[in-house]
Amino acid sequence: MTAPPHPLVSRAGRLAAEVLAPQAERVDQEGVPAGSIEALKRSGLLGVSAPVAYGGSAAPAAVVRETAEILAGACCSTWFVQTQHHTPVLTLARAEAGLPVRERLLGPLARGELLSGVAYAQLRAYPRVPVRVSRERGGWRFDGTVPWYTGWGLNDVMLLAGVTDDAEALFVFTEAREQPGLRPSPPMRLAALTASRTVSLELDGLWLPDDAVALRTPYETWAATDRPKNANASPAVFGVTAAALDLLDTDPPARETSRVLRARLDEVRRRVYELADHPAPSERIGERLTAKTLAYDLMRAATTAAVVAGGGRAMDLGSPAQRLAREGMFLLIQGQTAAVRAAHLGALGAPGPAGARG
């Protein structure tokens, strides 16, 4: 007898089936609607990793991953907007008790009353400093450009980061709205996930007080923790892969292809998650990158098969096959670092037929 699914997995499944999947093609063309975000807030999924004491679920990693797979497979754009939220939650959960911004925001974020975005990927450009932070008037001044910010117009708050003159990474919370010193670009038109409402942010003297600070640490200390994270494959890769295989299952001539690829999916997912659960995140990086590349290979095969099975119909913007193929293309570069890029290019250029690995 199999154990019943975790309640959050069941909620994710209902949300996917009733709200996200039925409108995924329309959302892809028109943008993530506020109604989807409200449904997410009500679901409890925004607190999946948050402390129980603040209204979250503190769910095991396996549950966190499974809910992410379900959401990404149903509507990758909506998944991408909500996945930004979990880093701010964990940042506050790990902050020292009594920190003003922690006590002010962790509860509302954990309970889904507020949705947060993130504006910190530019830190990975160091020693180039796209966002500079300086001390001013008893607070902090931000200047520079955030090249990517997802969820504009949907998020309530954002976690913003820059580098100080003392080479510290400084993370603060502010409202996700235009304000003095913060100006968004028009929404970007992207080949995939335009629906996620991604903009760039121009910072010209944005001032925030000390009580907005969530984390202040030497840059190298932060980077040592951040660098290994992207060596692991995202659960979203498996969600999009599974959704493509579900499409194949509806087409009798494609079912054997689906069966073969699904067996590979189970094996690759197992390898990726075993490595992700390794107690030392900075170890076995080469193995993690190899497994991530295998996951990419499988996603590419599954989404390509869905397009091939769909034939000319797959080129219609109302076809889920082409949407999944474009979402897969996006996931190839989402969170990409120099190490991930090098490993992926090396695998793609290796001898042998494409997709033969794994």
Side-chain angles (χ1 to χ4, degrees), residues 258-290:
S258 175
R259 184 190 66 78
V260 172
L261 292 178
R262 203 176 290 277
R264 289 174 55 194
L265 171 62
D266 291 341
E267 174 61 19
V268 173
R269 183 198 279 117
R270 182 189 62 78
R271 289 174 63 179
V272 165
Y273 289 164
E274 281 181 356
L275 289 164
D277 287 336
H278 189 274
S282 61
E283 294 180 1
R284 303 175 71 178
I285 296 298
E287 292 178 64
R288 295 171 194 266
L289 290 172
T290 297

Side-chain angles (χ1 to χ4, degrees), residues 89-320:
V89 168
L90 290 174
T91 299
L92 289 176
R94 294 165 181 163
E96 63 179 286
L99 192 70
V101 72
R102 183 182 197 268
E103 301 312 315
R104 186 168 69 248
L105 289 179
L106 183 52
L109 292 173
R111 294 188 296 270
E113 296 164 9
L114 298 176
L115 178 70
S116 182
V118 294
Y120 74 88
Q122 66 276 0
L123 290 183
R124 296 174 182 142
Y126 192 83
R128 188 166 58 85
V129 181
V131 175
R132 304 175 304 280
V133 186
S134 54
R135 195 74 173 145
E136 183 176 283
R137 293 183 286 123
W140 300 95
R141 174 183 172 128
F142 286 75
D143 292 279
T145 301
V146 174
W148 304 94
Y149 179 82
T150 293
W152 187 259
L154 297 171
N155 297 323
D156 302 294
V157 296
M158 73 170 76
L159 179 63
L160 168 66
V163 178
T164 71
D165 293 338
D166 296 325
E168 292 178 312
L170 186 79
F171 289 75
V172 298
F173 277 90
T174 186
E175 293 182 55
R177 60 172 178 81
E178 186 167 0
Q179 54 187 290
L182 188 160
R183 184 177 68 255
S185 72
M188 297 180 185
R189 290 192 56 78
L190 307 172
L193 274 70
T194 286
S196 64
R197 303 197 193 187
T198 296
V199 299
S200 62
L201 302 175
E202 290 300 319
L203 306 174
D204 183 15
L206 174 67
W207 183 90
L208 294 166
D210 278 335
D211 66 8
V213 175
L215 177 65
R216 181 181 176 187
T217 188
Y219 175 82
E220 286 303 329
T221 300
W222 174 81
T225 301
D226 177 70
R227 288 187 190 111
K229 291 178 181 177
N230 289 321
N232 296 309
S234 166
V237 171
F238 300 121
V240 168
T241 301
L245 297 182
D246 288 343
L247 274 184
L248 293 180
D249 286 340
T250 66
D251 183 14
R255 285 176 185 161
E256 177 60 17
T257 300
S258 175
R259 184 190 66 78
V260 172
L261 292 178
R262 203 176 290 277
R264 289 174 55 194
L265 171 62
D266 291 341
E267 174 61 19
V268 173
R269 183 198 279 117
R270 182 189 62 78
R271 289 174 63 179
V272 165
Y273 289 164
E274 281 181 356
L275 289 164
D277 287 336
H278 189 274
S282 61
E283 294 180 1
R284 303 175 71 178
I285 296 298
E287 292 178 64
R288 295 171 194 266
L289 290 172
T290 297
K292 182 169 188 166
T293 299
L294 290 172
Y296 284 157
D297 283 345
L298 182 56
M299 177 179 65
R300 187 174 65 251
T303 55
T304 300
V307 170
V308 171
R313 299 186 309 276
M315 293 299 99
D316 190 286
L317 288 178
S319 162

